[in-house]
Amino acid sequence: MGGDVESYKTPVGRVQGLGSAKSGFRHWWGQRVTAVALVPLVLWLGFGLAVYGSADYEAARAWVAGPVTAVLWIVALAAALYHAALGLQVVIEDYVDGDGMKVVAILAAQAFCILLAVGGIIAVLRIVLGG
Amino acid sequence: MQTKNNRPLSPHLTIYRPQITSMLSISHRASGVLLALAAVLLVWWLSALAVGPEYFATVQGVLGSGLGRIVLFFVSLAVFYHLCNGIRHLVWDTVHGFELEAVHRGGWIVVAAAVVLTVAVWSAAYLWRA
Ligand code: HEM
């Protein structure tokens, strides 16, 4: 993801490895790439959950464990929580005062998103492997 | 100072009356933060499915309760609002749609599309549940 970032930079920007706000462009671009990917993924997940979310245990498990659905689940979790981490960072930068507090809050938001993504992906893998 | 009252103001909550533009803008942020929190419910449900039938039944009971359904209803509305308005953001990023009329029209389209998708997903939940 974001493999094209370099092609958008000027030679100077590339040499310095710094955007206008240090990592601003990469952040902005990551939020857009994940947003585009999330449009179909979230539509699929929303309607899938509507149909299977209140199904009985076996039916719900069989749905998540399908080879295509399991991969889509993992991609959706990773994209959504990466997008959320980037988004929460912007919100924190806007509202939290003080550099120290800002860093702490951003790290906490990132930890929250990473834990959820890892927890969700482990759950999908356990369902696939039947553990 | 004479000129004071004529100075341009940046958007300011106590100065500008609420308008569709500002309301939808803050709603994008609010819905994004709500979705990040709602991801906890999603992973909780998924983990219960991984753990086993008894725990899954407990979680289904909570999420399917009256209060659970109300929460999920607002989460689904936030999902579809954020999705539709996110598309509008992506269009803006291509430097299109900034005429005031387009901004207003787009705003109402987003609200309508979010409502339609929310109704559709709940219809699917009640009509086609597996
Ligand atoms: C469904 C497809 C989605 C699309 C098209 C989308 C689109 C976007 C876009 C374009 C932005 C940047 C807005 C800006 O520049 O001000 C954004 C921000 C954000 N999104 Fe999403 N998003 C989606 C799903 C999600 C999900 C699933 C979550 C949470 C898990 C989420 C959480 C956030 C947050 C927290 C922000 C930051 C809000 C802000 O800066 O005001 N989004 N989204």
Side-chain angles (χ1 to χ4, degrees):
Chain A
M1 247 180 259
D4 287 326
V5 164
E6 292 304 314
S7 66
Y8 282 78
K9 289 191 184 173
T10 62
V12 172
R14 225 168 297 166
V15 170
Q16 292 179 328
L18 300 171
S20 59
K22 300 196 180 86
S23 58
F25 184 74
R26 189 173 293 275
H27 182 283
W28 184 89
W29 187 242
Q31 184 119 46
R32 264 78 201 156
V33 171
T34 51
V36 171
L38 282 170
V39 171
L41 285 169
V42 166
L43 284 171
W44 166 78
L45 190 61
F47 281 88
L49 282 170
V51 175
Y52 293 99
S54 58
D56 62 53
Y57 180 74
E58 293 304 328
R61 238 183 119 108
W63 173 58
V64 176
V68 177
T69 36
V71 172
L72 288 177
W73 260 100
I74 290 172
V75 176
L77 283 166
L81 287 155
Y82 183 56
H83 176 93
L86 295 174
L88 291 174
Q89 180 178 341
V90 176
V91 177
I92 290 165
E93 282 166 353
D94 282 353
Y95 298 137
V96 176
D97 277 336
D99 283 347
M101 273 310 292
K102 222 167 247 191
V103 172
V104 170
I106 290 171
L107 288 177
Q110 287 176 349
F112 170 84
C113 293
I114 290 172
L115 278 177
L116 281 178
V118 170
I121 290 169
I122 288 176
V124 173
L125 293 177
R126 282 185 61 181
I127 292 167
V128 170
L129 301 174
Chain B
M1 270 212 283
Q2 276 288 46
T3 54
K4 198 174 177 198
N5 290 334
N6 291 329
R7 282 189 189 164
L9 280 169
S10 57
H12 190 314
L13 288 182
T14 59
I15 303 287
Y16 277 166
R17 73 180 163 78
Q19 297 170 51
I20 178 157
T21 44
S22 56
M23 288 298 108
L24 295 193
S25 169
I26 192 63
S27 301
H28 192 78
R29 176 156 282 192
S31 60
V33 173
L34 180 73
L35 292 184
L37 297 176
V40 174
L41 297 180
L42 182 70
V43 172
W44 189 40
W45 180 84
L46 199 56
S47 305
L49 194 59
V51 167
E54 285 100 58
Y55 191 54
F56 185 67
T58 310
V59 173
Q60 289 293 64
V62 175
L63 294 177
S65 67
L67 183 61
R69 278 170 208 232
I70 291 171
V71 169
L72 291 178
F73 175 80
F74 284 106
V75 169
S76 65
L77 194 59
V79 167
F80 292 125
Y81 173 74
H82 189 94
L83 188 153
C84 296
N85 198 54
I87 293 174
R88 202 158 69 117
H89 267 283
L90 296 173
V91 173
W92 284 336
D93 290 337
T94 66
V95 209
H96 286 93
F98 281 113
E99 305 76 22
L100 194 56
E101 202 208 327
V103 172
H104 283 156
R105 190 169 2 100
W108 289 113
I109 292 173
V110 160
V111 171
V115 170
V116 168
L117 283 167
T118 303
V119 170
V121 89
W122 284 87
S123 306
Y126 281 101
L127 298 176
W128 292 308
R129 85 164 77 170

